[in-house]
Amino acid sequence: MVQNLTKRASPHNVNDRKEVLSGSCIEATASEIIQESNENMTVADAVAQMFENLGVKSAYGVSGGAMASLWGALSNSDIDVLNFRHEAGAAFAATEGYFASGNPTVVFTTAGPGITNALTGLFAARGEGAKVILLSACTSAPQRGRWAIQETSTDTLPSSGIFTTGTVFNYASTVESAAQLPQIFRKLAVGMSQPGGYVAHLTIPTAVQNMLMDETQLPEQGVSCSLVTADAQVVGNVAKLLRSGTFAIWLGFGARGAASEIRQLAEKTGAAVMCSPRGKGIFPENHPQFIGVTGLGGHGSVMTYMQEQAPVRTLVLGSRLSEPTSFWNQEMVPSEGFIHVDVDANVPGVAYPHAETIGIVSDVKAFVLQLLDILEAEEISESQLKASQPSSLPKPERSPVEAGSESLIRPEILMEAIQKVIVDGTDAVVMAECGNSFTWSTNLLRFSQANRYRVSTGVGAMGHAVTGVVGAAQARDGIAVAIVGDGAMLMNNEISTAVKYQIPAIWIVLNDARYNMCHQGMKMLGMTGADAIIPETNFEMIARGMGAKGIRVTKESEITAALETAIAANGPIIIDVLIDPDRPAPSKGRNKGLASQGVKSTSEQKPKVQASFPNI
């Protein structure tokens, strides 16, 4: 399990100070301790205390001389501090640590490349809707413009976007004085308490980190914000519209906190339910009303439903309907359009700008509860509500797999074993890397609970799941599994970090010696000459060389035993699976959507719309 880091007593932790003083046979009153604490508190100490007050439990990063005081203050706080091998891996881990625990997380970096290395992971955190704070060091004012080591200033890096509020950071500030901290705390507290994601950046010059606090005191309490709710009359009008004809429910990641309420609504009304790739499990995939996953790695059953049993309206809950979720396929637009509920007012109506859309800004759970109350108050029976809905619905397909051989492993067989041993047999969080790992996992795995499956559709950076799995396993203090490709595993992994802290992360590597989404995609597009082959790598040897356990699987008959061994392991383990590179990744949902528009994905016909991988 996760190894707890040893903490030393720190000036800003009153409880630790009381224990130290008592052990030294020195008596002191609480007020004296607090007074001494305030007198010795540095800006770095105050920032660590501020993070504790915000509910931060874990910090992930790479240390450096410019942020030594910050690193020391974090390490002597009640926050678990994990030292990673690369800042991007730390940022991905912090993102997944947030989703696994629900607690805001911190990424810490030194100046210069420490900041720029972390930006991709923080870009992903913003896109995924995580609550993450970047804590970095920057060059002190007297040294700026003088070619300091890893100088971080407007002379070396653009301030816009990195050190200012904008597209990457919801809030950013450079701390030049201790007097700024109360205001910064309040802004962070407000941001962290609101629904949705919040990514912030605090950068502190090296000299400022060691400044003693004066009379400025940090507020001890945070800020609470009420949920965003819809007007009762608006919800009443929605109830009337939904009763007027068939409707379907389209779930996104933003609906993950309302799983039980959504199931109650679906079963009360008989509505068909579909979900985005990130929404898997919010509504049980084995439920008779579930028709499939939309978008990348999705199911042809969704298009069957839309073509043969199309609803009058679709109630969209917590989804941006982005390209990986919808491919903006016009056949997904019902005749009377969408009722689109989201906490972000900028979401409804954007993906399908020409479709009739009733946009409602509300927390999804609050909205569904309001809707249920109205339906209950109107005393309309379930049979009446279900009267307009189809009596039977298409189900996500499972293509039969012929009897196997003892040659290269078919991904379909691997997914069957993962389903049985990991998904059905444990409570582990399962993550899939971008690429074919994403499509195989999204299409073939089935989840009956929310918050057990994680993929990135906003950014889709290679290395997200490979490194994020460490943060997920650490934050939940339990097993997390990453299904990844060999290309991503070579790009940026944190095996060594997992070994250091004995974090129960499991990597299942689909080893086919190529960037196979690119390889298969170019082939389907009829394009030749592009080289996506990479040398075959033995990840079992890499794992053992880093101090982790490793298993190489070369036969289908070995898969189950390897997975069971991984589940029983007490630390990190890599399962290196040699898969058949010629098995086409499942894209039936996407291909069926393109076919409905008269598009062929090869050179037989010039595409009428954009056709590129992973959209083929």
Side-chain angles (χ1 to χ4, degrees):
M1 302 305 286
V2 179
Q3 175 181 324
N4 291 325
L5 302 177
T6 302
K7 299 284 191 278
R8 299 194 306 274
S10 61
H12 64 269
N13 191 315
V14 175
N15 291 329
D16 285 348
R17 289 285 296 164
K18 289 174 71 175
E19 292 173 4
V20 172
L21 293 173
S22 176
S24 303
C25 300
I26 299 175
E27 295 184 0
T29 65
S31 60
E32 290 172 342
I33 294 168
I34 293 172
Q35 183 178 3
E36 181 183 349
S37 173
N38 289 337
E39 289 175 354
N40 294 327
M41 180 182 287
T42 65
V43 167
D45 294 327
V47 168
Q49 178 178 313
M50 179 173 68
F51 288 160
E52 288 182 5
N53 292 343
L54 290 170
V56 173
K57 305 296 183 184
S58 301
Y60 314 81
V62 180
S63 59
M67 55 91 61
S69 296
L70 292 172
W71 183 29
L74 288 174
S75 299
N76 286 293
S77 71
D78 288 334
I79 298 171
D80 281 342
V81 177
L82 291 91
N83 292 283
F84 274 61
R85 307 298 169 260
H86 194 275
E87 292 87 353
F92 288 129
T95 300
E96 295 308 320
Y98 165 73
F99 288 121
S101 67
N103 297 314
T105 57
V106 165
V107 177
F108 60 90
T109 74
T110 193
I115 297 173
T116 55
N117 284 347
L119 288 177
T120 300
L122 294 163
F123 175 38
R126 179 77 182 262
E128 293 296 304
K131 287 183 166 69
V132 178
I133 303 170
L134 170 63
L135 177 65
S136 72
C138 64
T139 305
S140 301
Q143 284 76 46
R144 292 171 192 165
R146 299 173 60 195
W147 301 286
I149 295 174
Q150 296 181 332
E151 178 168 338
T152 303
S153 69
T154 54
D155 292 296
T156 57
L157 289 173
S159 60
S160 178
I162 297 180
F163 303 103
T164 60
T165 300
T167 53
V168 177
F169 297 108
N170 298 92
Y171 170 67
S173 179
T174 300
V175 181
E176 300 283 8
S177 167
Q180 293 174 259
L181 293 181
Q183 180 187 25
I184 289 171
F185 176 88
R186 288 295 182 186
K187 288 186 176 180
L188 291 176
V190 169
M192 293 296 172
S193 66
Q194 291 176 343
Y198 190 79
V199 180
H201 181 193
L202 296 186
T203 187
I204 308 179
T206 303
V208 175
Q209 297 169 29
N210 295 312
M211 288 182 178
L212 292 176
M213 298 289 291
D214 51 23
E215 296 301 319
T216 303
Q217 297 296 318
L218 289 177
E220 295 183 359
Q221 301 298 324
V223 177
S224 61
C225 295
S226 60
L227 290 176
V228 179
T229 58
D231 180 81
Q233 184 176 350
V234 172
V235 182
N237 291 335
V238 168
K240 291 179 182 178
L241 291 173
L242 295 181
R243 289 197 309 271
S244 66
T246 59
F247 75 94
I249 300 173
W250 196 349
L251 301 177
F253 190 59
R256 64 191 183 279
S260 61
E261 292 79 12
I262 290 168
R263 180 168 181 170
Q264 185 180 348
L265 175 64
E267 292 178 344
K268 188 176 185 68
T269 60
V273 181
M274 51 193 166
C275 73
S276 70
R278 291 202 302 163
K280 281 173 68 70
I282 295 173
F283 191 80
E285 294 188 80
N286 57 1
H287 195 284
Q289 288 173 242
F290 183 72
I291 61 171
V293 179
T294 64
L296 184 60
H299 302 116
S301 53
V302 173
M303 290 309 304
T304 297
Y305 170 77
M306 294 303 299
Q307 291 165 357
E308 298 176 5
Q309 299 172 289
V312 173
R313 292 181 178 84
T314 296
L315 175 61
V316 182
L317 300 175
S319 174
R320 294 172 292 199
L321 302 184
S322 61
E323 184 179 13
T325 292
S326 68
F327 290 114
W328 307 313
N329 188 343
Q330 292 303 308
E331 287 213 7
M332 294 300 295
V333 181
S335 59
E336 298 296 324
F338 299 107
I339 300 170
H340 199 152
V341 182
D342 202 280
V343 293
D344 187 346
N346 296 313
V347 168
V350 173
Y352 289 98
H354 301 296
E356 183 176 343
T357 301
I358 298 173
I360 299 173
V361 180
S362 174
D363 172 79
V364 171
K365 183 174 182 176
F367 172 84
V368 176
L369 284 171
Q370 286 179 280
L371 184 58
L372 286 169
D373 286 343
I374 290 173
L375 295 176
E376 190 71 28
E378 293 177 345
E379 298 181 350
I380 301 174
S381 67
E382 289 190 12
S383 59
Q384 289 176 297
L385 288 170
K386 294 178 180 178
S388 62
Q389 298 288 5
S391 57
S392 62
L393 296 166
K395 302 294 185 291
E397 68 282 351
R398 279 191 183 274
S399 301
V401 182
E402 67 277 7
S405 63
E406 288 298 289
S407 59
L408 292 173
I409 293 158
R410 293 165 292 176
E412 303 98 313
I413 301 300
L414 174 61
M415 294 300 150
E416 284 183 2
I418 292 172
Q419 180 74 46
K420 180 180 179 181
V421 177
I422 295 175
V423 178
D424 297 338
T426 74
D427 66 348
V429 169
V430 178
M431 308 172 63
E433 190 65 79
C434 65
N436 280 0
S437 302
F438 181 116
T439 54
W440 285 116
S441 302
T442 299
N443 186 272
L444 296 178
L445 297 182
R446 301 286 189 268
F447 293 85
S448 59
Q449 293 175 308
N451 302 316
R452 284 200 60 198
Y453 184 65
R454 281 287 301 138
V455 289
S456 171
T457 57
V459 176
M462 290 181 68
H464 186 134
V466 166
T467 55
V469 67
V470 178
Q474 177 268 339
R476 72 188 300 265
D477 196 16
I479 295 171
V481 178
I483 303 170
V484 306
D486 50 345
M489 198 69 180
L490 288 168
M491 184 172 288
N492 184 14
N493 69 71
E494 292 288 343
I495 299 170
S496 175
T497 304
V499 169
K500 175 178 174 63
Y501 302 108
Q502 282 302 289
I503 294 172
I506 299 173
W507 290 267
I508 301 173
V509 184
L510 278 59
N511 192 346
D512 52 18
R514 63 193 66 187
Y515 294 108
N516 213 4
M517 176 171 277
C518 299
H519 181 86
Q520 292 181 351
M522 295 297 281
K523 183 177 180 180
M524 292 181 72
L525 289 171
M527 299 180 182
T528 60
D531 182 10
I533 304 298
I534 58 179
E536 183 181 304
T537 303
N538 189 320
F539 292 99
E540 177 191 18
M541 293 181 65
I542 289 177
R544 295 183 185 278
M546 290 188 176
K549 297 178 181 177
I551 303 174
R552 185 162 242 223
V553 178
T554 60
K555 300 177 181 178
E556 291 179 354
S557 59
E558 300 171 343
I559 298 173
T560 298
L563 293 175
E564 290 174 345
T565 298
I567 292 298
N570 293 320
I573 185 169
I574 292 83
I575 303 177
D576 184 11
V577 186
L578 299 185
I579 66 166
D580 183 348
D582 296 323
R583 303 293 291 190
S587 56
K588 193 173 292 184
R590 168 58 174 166
N591 292 342
K592 194 168 184 178
L594 283 176
S596 70
Q597 301 174 52
V599 177
K600 295 183 179 180
S601 59
T602 68
S603 57
E604 295 178 13
Q605 177 178 320
K606 185 177 180 180
K608 296 180 181 178
V609 299
Q610 173 183 323
S612 60
F613 60 84
N615 300 341
I616 51 177

